Amino acid sequence: MVLSGEQWLAEIFRPAVAGVSRARRERSVGAVSVDPLRMVGSRLAAQVEALGDTGVLTDEQERAALDTLERTGIMPEIRTTSAATSSSMAAGAFAPVAVQAGSAPVVAREPLEPPTLRGVLVGPRPLGQLDGRPITLISAELWSDRFLVDLYTNPGPEHRDRRAQAAREQLEWMKRQRRGQATERPGRAVAGSPLADLTWQLRDEQDTAYRRTGGSAESGDHLDRQRMQWSPAPPAHPGRLTLLATDTTGTIVLDAEIPVPR
């Protein structure tokens, strides 16, 4: 039996979305994880776009269906890989941070002895605010050859709106590309991460030359997290250990003291 666009929406699409809504309510008590729901959303979005491309769904029906997926919270996100960082920032997943020195790649050298963990400072510990939203220290780790700081913030509703708009623009561009329509590609595939868009520095009162040597990041609608690593390890008595963050204008937006775990 061949279904019309409206029949497919009524008999397949809307019942599937209703099932997702029920699953989300169950998830609130721990019964269902978010990943399977995202998979359902990806499949539904692909079907909607395919039916739109073949003319089974009108543009209005396709747009309304994608709006429904977005309101339900299972619209698939569009992500791109940056050649500069060589990392993929998938929502809910950690990605390595590539580090460069000048124009030459950093070549890892074998340490003389295996690094050892000397102390851990466990959060949560407030560090300050970014655009009126708290930044919280998750943990700080002191190793024999490095220092790690793990922190997070809630990116806020404005960031979520920008992400949704950017994803929608990318999906619209991809749809027009599939249909052979000439169109200008969106400038950015995703909205930037509030923490990743900042420049971070570690300082102490002994003017130790800390260099950023790695880390990872997690960015989503409700969580923006940075795990940053510096070398060398702080000296035995560094005095005040400070974490500084500056925005694209060079303005300091965070000046927080980080206790050294012992």
Side-chain angles (χ1 to χ4, degrees):
M1 180 179 66
V2 178
L3 300 179
S4 68
E6 184 55 41
Q7 287 173 325
W8 182 84
L9 291 171
E11 298 179 20
I12 297 177
F13 178 80
R14 295 187 186 111
V17 172
V20 167
S21 298
R22 288 193 299 271
R24 277 195 174 277
R25 290 193 294 270
E26 294 174 1
R27 191 201 66 181
S28 65
V29 294
V32 181
S33 68
V34 69
D35 287 342
L37 303 184
R38 289 280 186 187
M39 291 177 61
V40 172
S42 296
R43 294 191 184 104
L44 288 174
Q47 293 178 43
V48 168
E49 292 170 356
L51 293 175
D53 289 345
T54 56
V56 176
L57 293 178
T58 66
D59 286 346
E60 291 75 14
Q61 288 174 325
E62 180 181 3
R63 191 173 299 109
L66 293 176
D67 285 341
T68 299
L69 294 179
E70 185 174 315
R71 288 195 302 271
T72 310
I74 57 173
M75 170 67 78
E77 297 179 12
I78 303 300
R79 298 285 177 152
T80 59
T81 300
S82 170
T85 60
S86 300
S87 65
S88 174
M89 302 295 291
F94 286 100
V97 176
V99 180
Q100 294 182 337
S103 59
V106 175
V107 178
R109 293 179 297 178
E110 289 293 329
L112 299 179
E113 59 183 25
T116 57
L117 181 63
R118 294 178 175 173
V120 178
L121 176 68
V122 180
R125 179 185 292 259
L127 294 181
Q129 292 194 338
L130 178 64
D131 294 333
R133 290 179 292 276
I135 297 179
T136 302
L137 179 71
I138 300 172
S139 64
E141 301 174 16
L142 175 64
W143 292 74
S144 56
D145 63 344
R146 71 196 71 177
F147 187 69
L148 288 92
V149 175
D150 194 356
L151 50 84
Y152 81 94
T153 188
N154 181 345
E158 297 86 358
H159 176 70
R160 290 190 284 274
D161 290 343
R162 288 194 299 270
R163 282 167 57 92
Q165 179 62 29
R168 173 53 54 82
E169 291 175 356
Q170 185 74 1
L171 287 172
E172 288 288 338
W173 175 78
M174 292 171 62
K175 179 180 71 175
R176 292 191 292 269
Q177 287 289 103
R178 291 195 309 270
R179 296 179 179 181
Q181 301 171 356
T183 180
E184 184 178 353
R185 183 169 187 168
R188 296 188 67 181
V190 293
S193 156
L195 296 181
D197 287 346
L198 300 176
T199 299
W200 297 88
Q201 299 177 62
L202 188 67
R203 297 180 181 177
D204 63 27
E205 294 177 347
Q206 298 189 24
D207 294 327
T208 303
Y210 296 105
R211 62 188 184 280
R212 183 89 175 268
T213 55
S216 58
E218 177 184 1
S219 181
D221 286 342
H222 300 278
L223 176 67
D224 190 29
R225 182 176 181 178
Q226 284 284 318
R227 178 174 169 83
M228 297 171 282
Q229 174 180 298
W230 283 272
S231 292
H237 302 286
R240 184 175 186 264
L241 194 62
T242 304
L243 183 65
L244 289 174
T246 55
D247 61 17
T248 55
T249 68
T251 302
I252 296 177
V253 294
L254 180 70
D255 182 342
E257 182 173 358
I258 306 291
V260 179
R262 298 295 182 187

